[in-house]
Amino acid sequence: MSSDPAPTPHATAEQVEAAWHDPKLANVLYHDWEAGTYDEKWSISYDERCIDYAAGRFRAAAPWDGRPYLRALELGSGTGFFLLNLMQAGVADRGVVTDLSPGMVAAATRNAEHLGLEVEGAVVDGERIPFPDDSFDLVVGHAVLHHIPDVEAALREVLRVLEPGGRFVFAGEPTTVGDAYARRLGQWTWKATTTLTKLGPLRGWRRPQHELDESSRAAALESVVDIHTFDPADLEATARRAGAEGVRAHTEEFAAAVLGWPVRTFEAAVPPGKLGWNWAMFAYHGWQRLSWLDEHVLNRVVPRSWFYNALITGTKPR
């Protein structure tokens, strides 16, 4: 939208200081800074690999009869990973990508244009969605609810803009237990990698110090932008209080998260391109195999609250 604010990829010291006391400002600054490298950092693509992943998360969360939703809204779209790949999978026909970060909205609409998808973009606060009642038949989000201060207010807004019978699907939300072990694994991996790559034979695997310092500052700011973790039962209760029906929370990635977090942290600590194709295939196929183990074995014996990712769906009453 022409009235949207410009991105702030390089925040001033004063803005960063203010962000420590303002989670929404922190989210804008942090995600504007990450917008240009976010897809690379999280290995996001818009090919078969991520199309299958996005569609798989949607099917894990909600029933789908194979017919596309006509008009979908994504909250906290980031660079467009979830909705754009869902559109390519045939889940949605037309879409609107929104984020609190102008930089992320710009990246998402660029990605949509390159893919030839019919998508609009807007800078939007999830607690005050600027669209009329009954505007969409689907609202989605991936790793967004944990950034929103008032999750119940956001879900009320989601239900307002959904048409009666419309569905919401949110995926990629950290559970309280999962976040605890994932962060610890990430911290250990970061410390080990940045310590070992100081040694002479391994210095070629070390990122420049200014990049490591910038990543450390960003990691510190994550303590402000990552506001919530969720117990699946509590998340279901929040959605019901907001007015949703047919609410169901599902969790996934236990063994897969134990591998995935050290892998992603290690990738962030070494120079881009250093690891190569074989590493990428090891990481991807390792995640696939452990995800199979999670889905077919561990989810029968491990409490759902121990898995890392929470997915939730529900509908607006007719």
Side-chain angles (χ1 to χ4, degrees), residues 86-260:
L86 288 177
M87 291 176 71
Q88 292 191 100
V91 174
D93 186 21
R94 291 176 293 127
V96 179
V97 290
T98 70
D99 201 288
L100 198 60
S101 157
M104 287 296 191
V105 173
T109 52
R110 281 196 305 271
N111 285 335
E113 183 178 357
H114 292 157
L115 295 168
L117 298 175
E118 189 175 347
V119 170
E120 304 168 42
V123 175
V124 165
D125 182 339
E127 295 175 8
R128 295 185 294 275
I129 302 174
F131 294 103
D133 296 358
D134 309 336
S135 295
F136 303 93
D137 55 353
L138 176 67
V139 175
V140 299
H142 189 278
V144 58
L145 294 180
H146 69 284
H147 292 311
I148 299 176
D150 192 336
V151 174
E152 187 174 333
L155 291 174
R156 284 197 298 268
E157 280 289 274
V158 165
L159 292 166
R160 180 185 64 77
V161 301
L162 277 172
E163 61 186 33
R167 178 172 297 278
F168 65 82
V169 173
F170 290 95
E173 298 298 338
T175 65
T176 301
V177 174
D179 183 72
Y181 64 71
R183 285 189 183 274
R184 185 63 57 87
L185 287 170
Q187 291 166 356
W188 288 344
T189 304
W190 180 266
K191 184 174 180 60
T193 305
T194 55
T195 299
L196 289 173
T197 52
K198 291 179 181 178
L199 303 177
L202 299 177
R203 285 179 182 169
W205 287 82
R206 187 175 180 82
R207 277 186 183 255
Q209 189 61 43
H210 73 276
E211 292 183 9
L212 293 174
D213 291 343
E214 192 170 15
S215 292
S216 296
R217 287 193 295 272
L221 198 55
E222 284 180 356
S223 65
V224 183
V225 302
D226 293 347
I227 302 172
H228 308 286
T229 58
F230 300 102
D231 177 272
D234 291 344
L235 187 56
E236 289 171 332
T238 300
R240 293 190 185 102
R241 287 196 304 271
E245 65 180 18
V247 175
R248 172 181 174 266
H250 168 73
T251 57
E252 58 185 14
E253 293 196 19
F254 180 61
V258 171
L259 170 71

Side-chain angles (χ1 to χ4, degrees), residues 49-57 81 142 252-253 287 309:
R49 178 177 63 89
C50 280
I51 293 171
D52 288 348
Y53 178 83
R57 306 291 64 70
F81 155 74
H142 189 278
E252 58 185 14
E253 293 196 19
W287 175 85
N309 276 329

Side-chain angles (χ1 to χ4, degrees), residues 295-310:
E295 181 180 355
H296 293 92
V297 179
L298 295 182
N299 71 355
R300 300 174 184 175
V301 295
V302 176
R304 67 173 180 166
S305 61
W306 290 18
F307 286 73
Y308 179 76
N309 276 329

